[in-house]
Amino acid sequence: MKKTLFSIIALVCIAQTSYADAYYTDTFVASNGTIKLTDVATFHNDAFAISFELDRSLTAINSSTEFFRLVLSGSSDTYQVTIAAIGNVMTMGVGNNATAGFTMSAPDTSGPFVLQIENGGVATLLYNNNGSLETIMESSSPVYNVPEVVNSATLTFTNGVVEANNITTWTGVVTAEDLANPTPAPSIPEPATATLSLLALAGLAARRRRK
């Protein structure tokens, strides 16, 4: 009986363990306009990301207008990230009006890129360099927090400037392995449901032992 109880406790602990890997929540083939991100449940203060590829290298983009804009709108606040590239220079803006800018040299690549959002609002732009994700630029601190409740989420690739492909939204912190082997978000029962199911199994096991 003790062994059975220990087994049940172990199974309950496993059922209640949170998963730290990144899972994709939605995919889009291509865009040169605005996409409505329907899975807004992803966009909270937990880590999430957007990966994408461009139809040309960053160093081939020459526009004074940003080519990328993410907008997460709440009831009274908004979080935005913009990315622009002109020749060998690129800028990322983060904040309620995307006014806090970070400027870096643009790598000569078309991606895949990953925009990772963590810790409520820290934005990091990375690119896949031969199977290893390398940071292009990062906001050093939460410039402006992601709204607690997101009413609408849109992603815009400026028409006429660039076209994006293989656009994917993720929950968690994305790695190069995730990009190479994308995994859909698993269907995991709620901890309370899993616990009740396991307790029922324990009861059946105990009843069989008595017989």
PDB file of all heavy atoms in Angstrom, residues 92-128:
ATOM      1  N   MET A  92      15.444  49.406 -32.803  1.00  0.00           N
ATOM      2  CA  MET A  92      14.270  48.785 -32.192  1.00  0.00           C
ATOM      3  C   MET A  92      13.687  49.753 -31.185  1.00  0.00           C
ATOM      4  O   MET A  92      14.400  50.273 -30.321  1.00  0.00           O
ATOM      5  CB  MET A  92      14.639  47.470 -31.509  1.00  0.00           C
ATOM      6  CG  MET A  92      13.452  46.762 -30.853  1.00  0.00           C
ATOM      7  SD  MET A  92      13.846  45.076 -30.284  1.00  0.00           S
ATOM      8  CE  MET A  92      14.971  45.420 -28.922  1.00  0.00           C
ATOM      9  N   GLY A  93      12.406  50.022 -31.302  1.00  0.00           N
ATOM     10  CA  GLY A  93      11.717  50.873 -30.342  1.00  0.00           C
ATOM     11  C   GLY A  93      10.805  50.039 -29.465  1.00  0.00           C
ATOM     12  O   GLY A  93      10.118  49.133 -29.944  1.00  0.00           O
ATOM     13  N   VAL A  94      10.812  50.302 -28.157  1.00  0.00           N
ATOM     14  CA  VAL A  94       9.999  49.537 -27.210  1.00  0.00           C
ATOM     15  C   VAL A  94       9.304  50.496 -26.271  1.00  0.00           C
ATOM     16  O   VAL A  94       9.893  51.472 -25.815  1.00  0.00           O
ATOM     17  CB  VAL A  94      10.878  48.566 -26.385  1.00  0.00           C
ATOM     18  CG1 VAL A  94      10.015  47.726 -25.437  1.00  0.00           C
ATOM     19  CG2 VAL A  94      11.689  47.654 -27.291  1.00  0.00           C
ATOM     20  N   GLY A  95       8.040  50.242 -25.960  1.00  0.00           N
ATOM     21  CA  GLY A  95       7.326  51.076 -25.003  1.00  0.00           C
ATOM     22  C   GLY A  95       5.895  51.327 -25.415  1.00  0.00           C
ATOM     23  O   GLY A  95       5.395  50.733 -26.371  1.00  0.00           O
ATOM     24  N   ASN A  96       5.223  52.216 -24.686  1.00  0.00           N
ATOM     25  CA  ASN A  96       3.824  52.471 -25.007  1.00  0.00           C
ATOM     26  C   ASN A  96       3.669  53.142 -26.371  1.00  0.00           C
ATOM     27  O   ASN A  96       2.694  52.933 -27.080  1.00  0.00           O
ATOM     28  CB  ASN A  96       3.163  53.310 -23.911  1.00  0.00           C
ATOM     29  CG  ASN A  96       3.867  54.640 -23.695  1.00  0.00           C
ATOM     30  OD1 ASN A  96       5.040  54.805 -24.004  1.00  0.00           O
ATOM     31  ND2 ASN A  96       3.142  55.608 -23.163  1.00  0.00           N
ATOM     32  N   ASN A  97       4.648  53.960 -26.759  1.00  0.00           N
ATOM     33  CA  ASN A  97       4.654  54.556 -28.086  1.00  0.00           C
ATOM     34  C   ASN A  97       5.877  54.129 -28.890  1.00  0.00           C
ATOM     35  O   ASN A  97       6.188  54.726 -29.916  1.00  0.00           O
ATOM     36  CB  ASN A  97       4.623  56.090 -27.979  1.00  0.00           C
ATOM     37  CG  ASN A  97       3.311  56.587 -27.401  1.00  0.00           C
ATOM     38  OD1 ASN A  97       2.248  56.189 -27.861  1.00  0.00           O
ATOM     39  ND2 ASN A  97       3.378  57.425 -26.390  1.00  0.00           N
ATOM     40  N   ALA A  98       6.569  53.107 -28.401  1.00  0.00           N
ATOM     41  CA  ALA A  98       7.781  52.596 -29.042  1.00  0.00           C
ATOM     42  C   ALA A  98       8.794  53.711 -29.262  1.00  0.00           C
ATOM     43  O   ALA A  98       9.416  53.818 -30.313  1.00  0.00           O
ATOM     44  CB  ALA A  98       7.433  51.901 -30.367  1.00  0.00           C
ATOM     45  N   THR A  99       8.959  54.567 -28.248  1.00  0.00           N
ATOM     46  CA  THR A  99       9.850  55.714 -28.388  1.00  0.00           C
ATOM     47  C   THR A  99      11.240  55.468 -27.807  1.00  0.00           C
ATOM     48  O   THR A  99      12.168  56.204 -28.110  1.00  0.00           O
ATOM     49  CB  THR A  99       9.250  56.943 -27.689  1.00  0.00           C
ATOM     50  OG1 THR A  99       8.958  56.604 -26.329  1.00  0.00           O
ATOM     51  CG2 THR A  99       7.962  57.373 -28.384  1.00  0.00           C
ATOM     52  N   ALA A 100      11.381  54.451 -26.958  1.00  0.00           N
ATOM     53  CA  ALA A 100      12.687  54.153 -26.366  1.00  0.00           C
ATOM     54  C   ALA A 100      13.486  53.331 -27.364  1.00  0.00           C
ATOM     55  O   ALA A 100      13.257  52.142 -27.538  1.00  0.00           O
ATOM     56  CB  ALA A 100      12.519  53.400 -25.058  1.00  0.00           C
ATOM     57  N   GLY A 101      14.417  53.974 -28.078  1.00  0.00           N
ATOM     58  CA  GLY A 101      15.085  53.311 -29.179  1.00  0.00           C
ATOM     59  C   GLY A 101      16.421  52.688 -28.812  1.00  0.00           C
ATOM     60  O   GLY A 101      17.140  53.173 -27.935  1.00  0.00           O
ATOM     61  N   PHE A 102      16.756  51.586 -29.492  1.00  0.00           N
ATOM     62  CA  PHE A 102      18.032  50.902 -29.334  1.00  0.00           C
ATOM     63  C   PHE A 102      18.593  50.685 -30.732  1.00  0.00           C
ATOM     64  O   PHE A 102      17.929  50.110 -31.582  1.00  0.00           O
ATOM     65  CB  PHE A 102      17.847  49.571 -28.600  1.00  0.00           C
ATOM     66  CG  PHE A 102      17.148  49.710 -27.279  1.00  0.00           C
ATOM     67  CD1 PHE A 102      15.768  49.683 -27.202  1.00  0.00           C
ATOM     68  CD2 PHE A 102      17.874  49.896 -26.112  1.00  0.00           C
ATOM     69  CE1 PHE A 102      15.114  49.829 -25.979  1.00  0.00           C
ATOM     70  CE2 PHE A 102      17.230  50.040 -24.895  1.00  0.00           C
ATOM     71  CZ  PHE A 102      15.853  50.009 -24.825  1.00  0.00           C
ATOM     72  N   THR A 103      19.789  51.168 -31.000  1.00  0.00           N
ATOM     73  CA  THR A 103      20.378  51.113 -32.338  1.00  0.00           C
ATOM     74  C   THR A 103      21.602  50.206 -32.346  1.00  0.00           C
ATOM     75  O   THR A 103      22.447  50.270 -31.453  1.00  0.00           O
ATOM     76  CB  THR A 103      20.779  52.516 -32.829  1.00  0.00           C
ATOM     77  OG1 THR A 103      19.615  53.352 -32.819  1.00  0.00           O
ATOM     78  CG2 THR A 103      21.346  52.473 -34.236  1.00  0.00           C
ATOM     79  N   MET A 104      21.672  49.350 -33.371  1.00  0.00           N
ATOM     80  CA  MET A 104      22.790  48.417 -33.509  1.00  0.00           C
ATOM     81  C   MET A 104      23.113  48.248 -34.983  1.00  0.00           C
ATOM     82  O   MET A 104      22.334  48.627 -35.861  1.00  0.00           O
ATOM     83  CB  MET A 104      22.419  47.048 -32.915  1.00  0.00           C
ATOM     84  CG  MET A 104      22.184  47.039 -31.414  1.00  0.00           C
ATOM     85  SD  MET A 104      23.679  47.264 -30.443  1.00  0.00           S
ATOM     86  CE  MET A 104      24.500  45.709 -30.749  1.00  0.00           C
ATOM     87  N   SER A 105      24.278  47.649 -35.269  1.00  0.00           N
ATOM     88  CA  SER A 105      24.618  47.298 -36.640  1.00  0.00           C
ATOM     89  C   SER A 105      23.746  46.131 -37.084  1.00  0.00           C
ATOM     90  O   SER A 105      23.509  45.194 -36.317  1.00  0.00           O
ATOM     91  CB  SER A 105      26.099  46.901 -36.738  1.00  0.00           C
ATOM     92  OG  SER A 105      26.928  47.991 -36.413  1.00  0.00           O
ATOM     93  N   ALA A 106      23.264  46.196 -38.312  1.00  0.00           N
ATOM     94  CA  ALA A 106      22.379  45.156 -38.825  1.00  0.00           C
ATOM     95  C   ALA A 106      23.192  44.003 -39.403  1.00  0.00           C
ATOM     96  O   ALA A 106      24.064  44.234 -40.247  1.00  0.00           O
ATOM     97  CB  ALA A 106      21.464  45.736 -39.887  1.00  0.00           C
ATOM     98  N   PRO A 107      22.942  42.766 -38.978  1.00  0.00           N
ATOM     99  CA  PRO A 107      23.641  41.626 -39.588  1.00  0.00           C
ATOM    100  C   PRO A 107      23.113  41.384 -40.999  1.00  0.00           C
ATOM    101  O   PRO A 107      21.953  41.651 -41.298  1.00  0.00           O
ATOM    102  CB  PRO A 107      23.284  40.463 -38.654  1.00  0.00           C
ATOM    103  CG  PRO A 107      21.980  40.859 -38.028  1.00  0.00           C
ATOM    104  CD  PRO A 107      22.031  42.348 -37.899  1.00  0.00           C
ATOM    105  N   ASP A 108      23.971  40.890 -41.856  1.00  0.00           N
ATOM    106  CA  ASP A 108      23.607  40.647 -43.248  1.00  0.00           C
ATOM    107  C   ASP A 108      22.894  39.305 -43.347  1.00  0.00           C
ATOM    108  O   ASP A 108      23.461  38.299 -43.762  1.00  0.00           O
ATOM    109  CB  ASP A 108      24.865  40.664 -44.131  1.00  0.00           C
ATOM    110  CG  ASP A 108      24.515  40.566 -45.613  1.00  0.00           C
ATOM    111  OD1 ASP A 108      23.329  40.762 -45.961  1.00  0.00           O
ATOM    112  OD2 ASP A 108      25.425  40.303 -46.419  1.00  0.00           O
ATOM    113  N   THR A 109      21.635  39.289 -42.946  1.00  0.00           N
ATOM    114  CA  THR A 109      20.849  38.055 -42.936  1.00  0.00           C
ATOM    115  C   THR A 109      19.371  38.382 -43.098  1.00  0.00           C
ATOM    116  O   THR A 109      18.920  39.479 -42.770  1.00  0.00           O
ATOM    117  CB  THR A 109      21.075  37.272 -41.620  1.00  0.00           C
ATOM    118  OG1 THR A 109      20.276  36.085 -41.633  1.00  0.00           O
ATOM    119  CG2 THR A 109      20.682  38.107 -40.415  1.00  0.00           C
ATOM    120  N   SER A 110      18.628  37.408 -43.586  1.00  0.00           N
ATOM    121  CA  SER A 110      17.178  37.537 -43.718  1.00  0.00           C
ATOM    122  C   SER A 110      16.449  36.710 -42.670  1.00  0.00           C
ATOM    123  O   SER A 110      15.240  36.582 -42.681  1.00  0.00           O
ATOM    124  CB  SER A 110      16.730  37.092 -45.123  1.00  0.00           C
ATOM    125  OG  SER A 110      17.102  35.740 -45.358  1.00  0.00           O
ATOM    126  N   GLY A 111      17.208  36.154 -41.730  1.00  0.00           N
ATOM    127  CA  GLY A 111      16.602  35.388 -40.644  1.00  0.00           C
ATOM    128  C   GLY A 111      16.903  33.901 -40.753  1.00  0.00           C
ATOM    129  O   GLY A 111      17.781  33.501 -41.505  1.00  0.00           O
ATOM    130  N   PRO A 112      16.167  33.117 -39.972  1.00  0.00           N
ATOM    131  CA  PRO A 112      15.019  33.462 -39.134  1.00  0.00           C
ATOM    132  C   PRO A 112      15.386  34.366 -37.947  1.00  0.00           C
ATOM    133  O   PRO A 112      16.464  34.250 -37.386  1.00  0.00           O
ATOM    134  CB  PRO A 112      14.507  32.103 -38.621  1.00  0.00           C
ATOM    135  CG  PRO A 112      15.125  31.082 -39.523  1.00  0.00           C
ATOM    136  CD  PRO A 112      16.434  31.667 -39.939  1.00  0.00           C
ATOM    137  N   PHE A 113      14.447  35.245 -37.609  1.00  0.00           N
ATOM    138  CA  PHE A 113      14.575  36.137 -36.460  1.00  0.00           C
ATOM    139  C   PHE A 113      13.612  35.692 -35.367  1.00  0.00           C
ATOM    140  O   PHE A 113      12.588  35.070 -35.636  1.00  0.00           O
ATOM    141  CB  PHE A 113      14.258  37.585 -36.851  1.00  0.00           C
ATOM    142  CG  PHE A 113      15.168  38.147 -37.899  1.00  0.00           C
ATOM    143  CD1 PHE A 113      14.781  38.151 -39.227  1.00  0.00           C
ATOM    144  CD2 PHE A 113      16.407  38.677 -37.561  1.00  0.00           C
ATOM    145  CE1 PHE A 113      15.615  38.668 -40.217  1.00  0.00           C
ATOM    146  CE2 PHE A 113      17.250  39.185 -38.532  1.00  0.00           C
ATOM    147  CZ  PHE A 113      16.853  39.188 -39.867  1.00  0.00           C
ATOM    148  N   VAL A 114      13.957  36.044 -34.140  1.00  0.00           N
ATOM    149  CA  VAL A 114      13.073  35.795 -32.998  1.00  0.00           C
ATOM    150  C   VAL A 114      12.991  37.077 -32.186  1.00  0.00           C
ATOM    151  O   VAL A 114      14.019  37.611 -31.757  1.00  0.00           O
ATOM    152  CB  VAL A 114      13.585  34.649 -32.095  1.00  0.00           C
ATOM    153  CG1 VAL A 114      12.699  34.523 -30.848  1.00  0.00           C
ATOM    154  CG2 VAL A 114      13.617  33.336 -32.857  1.00  0.00           C
ATOM    155  N   LEU A 115      11.782  37.582 -32.002  1.00  0.00           N
ATOM    156  CA  LEU A 115      11.557  38.674 -31.059  1.00  0.00           C
ATOM    157  C   LEU A 115      11.038  38.042 -29.778  1.00  0.00           C
ATOM    158  O   LEU A 115       9.919  37.528 -29.740  1.00  0.00           O
ATOM    159  CB  LEU A 115      10.550  39.693 -31.589  1.00  0.00           C
ATOM    160  CG  LEU A 115      10.207  40.811 -30.598  1.00  0.00           C
ATOM    161  CD1 LEU A 115      11.412  41.714 -30.335  1.00  0.00           C
ATOM    162  CD2 LEU A 115       9.027  41.642 -31.092  1.00  0.00           C
ATOM    163  N   GLN A 116      11.853  38.042 -28.740  1.00  0.00           N
ATOM    164  CA  GLN A 116      11.504  37.415 -27.461  1.00  0.00           C
ATOM    165  C   GLN A 116      11.103  38.483 -26.458  1.00  0.00           C
ATOM    166  O   GLN A 116      11.829  39.462 -26.268  1.00  0.00           O
ATOM    167  CB  GLN A 116      12.704  36.626 -26.934  1.00  0.00           C
ATOM    168  CG  GLN A 116      12.443  35.866 -25.650  1.00  0.00           C
ATOM    169  CD  GLN A 116      11.589  34.626 -25.893  1.00  0.00           C
ATOM    170  OE1 GLN A 116      11.969  33.739 -26.639  1.00  0.00           O
ATOM    171  NE2 GLN A 116      10.442  34.560 -25.248  1.00  0.00           N
ATOM    172  N   ILE A 117       9.951  38.301 -25.818  1.00  0.00           N
ATOM    173  CA  ILE A 117       9.469  39.226 -24.791  1.00  0.00           C
ATOM    174  C   ILE A 117       9.450  38.482 -23.464  1.00  0.00           C
ATOM    175  O   ILE A 117       8.838  37.424 -23.339  1.00  0.00           O
ATOM    176  CB  ILE A 117       8.049  39.757 -25.091  1.00  0.00           C
ATOM    177  CG1 ILE A 117       7.953  40.258 -26.530  1.00  0.00           C
ATOM    178  CG2 ILE A 117       7.661  40.843 -24.101  1.00  0.00           C
ATOM    179  CD1 ILE A 117       8.754  41.481 -26.828  1.00  0.00           C
ATOM    180  N   GLU A 118      10.151  39.043 -22.448  1.00  0.00           N
ATOM    181  CA  GLU A 118      10.215  38.401 -21.136  1.00  0.00           C
ATOM    182  C   GLU A 118      10.086  39.444 -20.030  1.00  0.00           C
ATOM    183  O   GLU A 118      10.208  40.644 -20.267  1.00  0.00           O
ATOM    184  CB  GLU A 118      11.547  37.672 -20.967  1.00  0.00           C
ATOM    185  CG  GLU A 118      11.781  36.529 -21.923  1.00  0.00           C
ATOM    186  CD  GLU A 118      13.120  35.867 -21.664  1.00  0.00           C
ATOM    187  OE1 GLU A 118      13.203  35.089 -20.683  1.00  0.00           O
ATOM    188  OE2 GLU A 118      14.076  36.140 -22.406  1.00  0.00           O
ATOM    189  N   ASN A 119       9.880  38.942 -18.798  1.00  0.00           N
ATOM    190  CA  ASN A 119       9.884  39.776 -17.593  1.00  0.00           C
ATOM    191  C   ASN A 119       8.973  40.990 -17.717  1.00  0.00           C
ATOM    192  O   ASN A 119       9.313  42.093 -17.315  1.00  0.00           O
ATOM    193  CB  ASN A 119      11.312  40.230 -17.267  1.00  0.00           C
ATOM    194  CG  ASN A 119      12.250  39.063 -17.044  1.00  0.00           C
ATOM    195  OD1 ASN A 119      11.840  38.029 -16.542  1.00  0.00           O
ATOM    196  ND2 ASN A 119      13.493  39.216 -17.438  1.00  0.00           N
ATOM    197  N   GLY A 120       7.822  40.772 -18.328  1.00  0.00           N
ATOM    198  CA  GLY A 120       6.825  41.835 -18.393  1.00  0.00           C
ATOM    199  C   GLY A 120       7.010  42.813 -19.516  1.00  0.00           C
ATOM    200  O   GLY A 120       6.081  43.502 -19.891  1.00  0.00           O
ATOM    201  N   GLY A 121       8.194  42.921 -20.125  1.00  0.00           N
ATOM    202  CA  GLY A 121       8.358  43.883 -21.194  1.00  0.00           C
ATOM    203  C   GLY A 121       9.738  43.986 -21.790  1.00  0.00           C
ATOM    204  O   GLY A 121       9.971  44.803 -22.676  1.00  0.00           O
ATOM    205  N   VAL A 122      10.692  43.171 -21.323  1.00  0.00           N
ATOM    206  CA  VAL A 122      12.035  43.196 -21.902  1.00  0.00           C
ATOM    207  C   VAL A 122      11.991  42.537 -23.285  1.00  0.00           C
ATOM    208  O   VAL A 122      11.587  41.386 -23.423  1.00  0.00           O
ATOM    209  CB  VAL A 122      13.051  42.452 -21.012  1.00  0.00           C
ATOM    210  CG1 VAL A 122      14.409  42.392 -21.695  1.00  0.00           C
ATOM    211  CG2 VAL A 122      13.173  43.142 -19.667  1.00  0.00           C
ATOM    212  N   ALA A 123      12.405  43.272 -24.305  1.00  0.00           N
ATOM    213  CA  ALA A 123      12.371  42.770 -25.679  1.00  0.00           C
ATOM    214  C   ALA A 123      13.781  42.474 -26.163  1.00  0.00           C
ATOM    215  O   ALA A 123      14.685  43.291 -26.004  1.00  0.00           O
ATOM    216  CB  ALA A 123      11.703  43.791 -26.591  1.00  0.00           C
ATOM    217  N   THR A 124      13.958  41.298 -26.760  1.00  0.00           N
ATOM    218  CA  THR A 124      15.251  40.900 -27.321  1.00  0.00           C
ATOM    219  C   THR A 124      15.041  40.433 -28.753  1.00  0.00           C
ATOM    220  O   THR A 124      14.183  39.584 -29.008  1.00  0.00           O
ATOM    221  CB  THR A 124      15.896  39.765 -26.510  1.00  0.00           C
ATOM    222  OG1 THR A 124      15.981  40.142 -25.139  1.00  0.00           O
ATOM    223  CG2 THR A 124      17.284  39.447 -27.032  1.00  0.00           C
ATOM    224  N   LEU A 125      15.821  40.979 -29.682  1.00  0.00           N
ATOM    225  CA  LEU A 125      15.774  40.543 -31.072  1.00  0.00           C
ATOM    226  C   LEU A 125      16.990  39.666 -31.340  1.00  0.00           C
ATOM    227  O   LEU A 125      18.131  40.073 -31.102  1.00  0.00           O
ATOM    228  CB  LEU A 125      15.773  41.742 -32.018  1.00  0.00           C
ATOM    229  CG  LEU A 125      15.699  41.402 -33.512  1.00  0.00           C
ATOM    230  CD1 LEU A 125      14.369  40.729 -33.840  1.00  0.00           C
ATOM    231  CD2 LEU A 125      15.889  42.649 -34.365  1.00  0.00           C
ATOM    232  N   LEU A 126      16.743  38.438 -31.817  1.00  0.00           N
ATOM    233  CA  LEU A 126      17.808  37.479 -32.095  1.00  0.00           C
ATOM    234  C   LEU A 126      17.695  36.989 -33.525  1.00  0.00           C
ATOM    235  O   LEU A 126      16.642  37.148 -34.168  1.00  0.00           O
ATOM    236  CB  LEU A 126      17.730  36.287 -31.134  1.00  0.00           C
ATOM    237  CG  LEU A 126      17.607  36.572 -29.639  1.00  0.00           C
ATOM    238  CD1 LEU A 126      16.164  36.446 -29.195  1.00  0.00           C
ATOM    239  CD2 LEU A 126      18.480  35.619 -28.837  1.00  0.00           C
ATOM    240  N   TYR A 127      18.760  36.363 -34.040  1.00  0.00           N
ATOM    241  CA  TYR A 127      18.684  35.714 -35.335  1.00  0.00           C
ATOM    242  C   TYR A 127      19.405  34.381 -35.284  1.00  0.00           C
ATOM    243  O   TYR A 127      20.300  34.174 -34.467  1.00  0.00           O
ATOM    244  CB  TYR A 127      19.259  36.597 -36.444  1.00  0.00           C
ATOM    245  CG  TYR A 127      20.765  36.695 -36.491  1.00  0.00           C
ATOM    246  CD1 TYR A 127      21.500  36.010 -37.459  1.00  0.00           C
ATOM    247  CD2 TYR A 127      21.472  37.482 -35.587  1.00  0.00           C
ATOM    248  CE1 TYR A 127      22.881  36.098 -37.518  1.00  0.00           C
ATOM    249  CE2 TYR A 127      22.857  37.587 -35.639  1.00  0.00           C
ATOM    250  CZ  TYR A 127      23.545  36.890 -36.604  1.00  0.00           C
ATOM    251  OH  TYR A 127      24.921  36.985 -36.655  1.00  0.00           O
ATOM    252  N   ASN A 128      18.970  33.484 -36.159  1.00  0.00           N
ATOM    253  CA  ASN A 128      19.517  32.132 -36.177  1.00  0.00           C
ATOM    254  C   ASN A 128      20.784  32.124 -37.025  1.00  0.00           C
ATOM    255  O   ASN A 128      20.732  32.215 -38.244  1.00  0.00           O
ATOM    256  CB  ASN A 128      18.481  31.164 -36.755  1.00  0.00           C
ATOM    257  CG  ASN A 128      18.858  29.714 -36.519  1.00  0.00           C
ATOM    258  OD1 ASN A 128      19.971  29.411 -36.103  1.00  0.00           O
ATOM    259  ND2 ASN A 128      17.925  28.816 -36.784  1.00  0.00           N
TER     260      ASN A 128
END
